[in-house]
């Protein structure tokens, strides 16, 4: 989304004002740059009070109340968070995409031996923690998230979360939802909940043409053939091609193998340009394959890497049964940023 081109809808404006007020009250603005007030006023169309230069950093004994921003895909939650963080002293803040944080937290648990030590090692002495795309679908993840939030809410730390789900809809599986309700109550106790759920999915406007949005959505067969082997999660991924910074691979070979979301992260660090071939109608394949595809697109989107898909069906028919897989609707929204192109026009 081009943050300079949009006019904020009412939900976005309320959230923007709350984020700006939070940063100013806490004294997190960058020194010598006009700070968050100047940066946010440029985007949000009104000038905020210029903060006083904050004193030398001292250890806090309390923290400003945090925010939980929720709404459908493409409504501007990540844009608001990123612009907010652009005006904040980076030594005081940490920003994580939730997939990446899970991967780093699990690695740190293996290194440090328990959740508390692992979380403290990752978060350091940050006063502001931002989680983008906060979600809980799995009961095992729920236990980890519960302990993490207990730890953070017990410290002088402010949390800002974005999510596609209001708190009461986290871990919606009725078999496990009850076990997560105390954590939901904790979220509501410590965070102000704001909807960012306006009528427009801004990804459908086609304003962005760089990064992820530089990719294409092509209905038809992939013209590139070949063979390459790429290591992933102690196994070998069979690809059509693997260059110095580009990877071309079939959907079945990438999403049909038993790997976790975290296993895609090293590939995204190595390959900047992605082509996924033979993407089927997602209603015809196993739900676990679709979930891996959802995770992959999440990671590529957060890293802003360009993605080209060669699919069997148009995007509008790719995942008509959204309820089969949590978050597939977010994936379809993100794929809306890719340029549709007929197979005959491929290079």
């Amino acid at each position: 989304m081009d943050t300079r081109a949009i006019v904020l809808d009412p939900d976005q404006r309320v959230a923007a004002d709350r984020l700006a007020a939070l940063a100013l009250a806490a004294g997190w603005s960058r020194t010598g740059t006009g700070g968050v007030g100047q940066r946010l006023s440029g985007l949000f169309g009104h000038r905020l009070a210029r903060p006083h230069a904050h004193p030398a950093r001292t250890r806090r004994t309390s923290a400003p109340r945090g925010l939980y921003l929720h709404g459908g895909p493409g409504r501007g939650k990540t844009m608001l968070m990123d612009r907010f963080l652009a005006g904040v002293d980076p030594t005081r803040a940490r920003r994580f995409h939730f997939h990446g944080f899970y991967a780093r937290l699990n690695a740190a648990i293996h290194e440090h031996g328990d959740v508390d030590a692992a979380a403290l090692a990752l978060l350091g002495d940050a006063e502001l923690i931002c989680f983008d795309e906060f979600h809980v679908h799995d009961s095992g993840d729920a236990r980890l998230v519960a302990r993490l939030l207990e730890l953070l809410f017990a410290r002088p730390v402010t949390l800002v979360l974005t999510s596609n789900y209001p708190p009461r809809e986290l871990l919606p599986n009725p078999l496990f939802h009850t076990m997560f309700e105390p954590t939901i109550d904790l979220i509501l106790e410590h965070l102000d909940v704001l909807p960012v759920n306006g009528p427009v999915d801004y990804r459908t406007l086609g304003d962005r043409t760089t990064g992820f949005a530089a990719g294409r959505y092509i209905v038809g067969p992939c013209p590139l053939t070949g063979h390459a082997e790429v290591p992933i999660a102690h196994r070998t991924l069979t690809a059509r091609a693997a260059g110095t910074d580009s990877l071309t691979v079939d959907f079945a070979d990438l999403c049909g193998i038993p790997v976790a979301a975290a296993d895609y992260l090293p590939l995204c660090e190595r390959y900047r340009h992605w082509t996924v071939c033979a993407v089927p109608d997602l209603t015809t394949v196993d739900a676990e394959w679709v979930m891996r595809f959802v995770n992959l697109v999440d990671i590529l989107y957060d890293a802003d890497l360009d993605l080209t898909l060669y699919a069997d069906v148009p995007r509008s028919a790719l995942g008509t049964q959204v309820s089969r897989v949590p978050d597939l609707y977010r994936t379809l929204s993100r794929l809306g940023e890719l340029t549709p192109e007929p197979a005959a026009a491929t290079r």
Side-chain angles (χ1 to χ4, degrees), residues 222-302:
C222 178
L224 182 61
T225 59
H227 179 83
E229 295 186 349
V230 178
I232 177 175
H234 307 295
R235 64 176 61 239
T236 298
L237 170 67
T238 300
R240 297 196 184 201
T244 55
D245 67 348
S246 63
L247 179 68
T248 301
V249 61
D250 283 359
F251 172 90
D253 292 323
L254 186 61
C255 301
I257 58 176
V259 293
D263 298 324
Y264 293 131
L265 293 170
L267 294 181
C268 292
E269 293 173 359
R270 179 176 178 182
Y271 301 109
R272 308 298 299 174
H273 308 283
W274 284 65
T275 301
V276 179
C277 306
V279 179
D281 175 349
L282 296 179
T283 65
T284 66
V285 297
D286 189 89
E288 290 187 2
W289 292 30
V290 182
M291 193 68 243
R292 293 187 194 109
F293 182 65
V294 168
N295 292 337
L296 174 67
V297 172
D298 277 348
I299 292 167
L300 292 173
Y301 193 90
D302 186 64

